[in-house]
């Protein structure tokens, strides 16, 4: 054993590592989701963020270095089933994407990215979401394996901000995160 550090009440999240920093989700003692930022060299927790929703951060965080900043994308197993983003430079966590009401559900899925920087994830509503700089697209799969793509209309888009640009300090849809 090289080292260990306690960061949550419990965790089933797979950690992600970038530039000597570990990002990992879990469940806080208040049963709210937790994202912990851990210095790998010292094995100390440098930041902990608690979601405002009851539900563990079970996903493996996606770490993306973009220009002078590092962004961490993750989900929490609670409604609305959206995507959160942590900015290493500002220390802020924001709700990046909220599905429309009919597509909101619990979420344990990890966020992935393609070569163009589009983000993809699913939640328990049975939808695959693509979050791009312009809009979020929704792909719905039926029981026979067919699919349909919803164009980026206001009803299909949800609330999204560009995946690679910092969001304003205000929290979207009244969602807040605390340290």
């Amino acid at each position: 054993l090289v080292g260990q550090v306690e960061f949550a009440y419990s965790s089933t999240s797979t950690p992600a590592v970038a530039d000597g920093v570990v990002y990992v989700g879990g469940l806080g003692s208040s049963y709210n989701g937790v994202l912990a930022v851990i210095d790998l060299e010292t094995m100390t927790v440098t930041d902990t963020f608690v979601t405002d929703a009851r539900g563990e951060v079970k996903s493996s965080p996606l770490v993306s270095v973009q220009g002078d900043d590092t962004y961490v994308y993750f989900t929490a197993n609670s409604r609305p089933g959206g995507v959160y983003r942590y900015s290493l430079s500002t220390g802020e966590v924001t709700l990046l994407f909220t599905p429309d009401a009919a597509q909101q559900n619990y979420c344990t899925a990890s966020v992935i990215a393609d070569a163009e920087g589009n983000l993809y994830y699913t939640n328990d509503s049975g939808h695959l979401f693509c979050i791009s700089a312009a809009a979020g697209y929704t792909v719905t799969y039926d029981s026979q394996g067919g699919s349909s793509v919803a164009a980026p209309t206001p009803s299909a888009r949800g609330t999204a901000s560009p995946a690679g640009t910092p969001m304003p300090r205000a929290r979207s849809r009244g969602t807040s995160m605390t340290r």
Side-chain angles (χ1 to χ4, degrees):
L1 177 69
V2 175
Q4 64 182 3
V5 62
E6 184 175 13
F7 66 92
Y9 177 73
S10 67
S11 175
T12 59
S13 173
T14 302
V17 180
D19 295 327
V21 179
V22 176
Y23 305 91
V24 64
L27 184 67
S29 59
S30 63
Y31 300 105
N32 289 41
V34 170
L35 176 70
V37 181
I38 302 169
D39 181 281
L40 190 56
E41 185 176 328
T42 63
M43 291 301 287
T44 57
V45 177
T46 59
D47 265 323
T48 302
F49 300 92
V50 179
T51 65
D52 63 343
R54 288 173 113 40
E56 184 175 357
V57 175
K58 294 180 176 247
S59 63
S60 178
L62 171 66
V63 181
S64 176
V65 178
Q66 302 172 28
D68 293 337
D69 204 354
T70 299
Y71 297 100
V72 180
Y73 302 94
F74 63 97
T75 62
N77 193 24
S78 62
R79 288 182 173 269
V83 174
Y84 295 92
R85 181 181 64 195
Y86 166 73
S87 168
L88 185 61
S89 69
T90 66
E92 290 185 336
V93 174
T94 54
L95 186 58
L96 175 71
F97 175 77
T98 301
D100 287 333
Q103 300 161 348
Q104 294 181 10
N105 214 313
Y106 292 84
C107 184
T108 61
S110 298
V111 179
I112 65 160
D114 64 18
E116 287 79 40
N118 298 309
L119 304 177
Y120 299 87
Y121 84 105
T122 62
N123 68 16
D124 287 356
S125 72
H127 290 83
L128 169 67
F129 301 96
C130 173
I131 305 166
S132 69
Y137 291 82
T138 304
V139 180
T140 305
Y141 292 91
D142 63 29
S143 60
Q144 289 76 38
S147 64
S148 63
V149 178
T153 63
S155 63
R157 186 172 39 235
T159 302
S161 292
T165 59
M167 292 185 60
R169 284 194 163 301
R171 307 294 190 229
S172 69
R173 296 218 182 185
T175 298
S176 62
M177 307 291 261
T178 58
R179 277 187 202 194

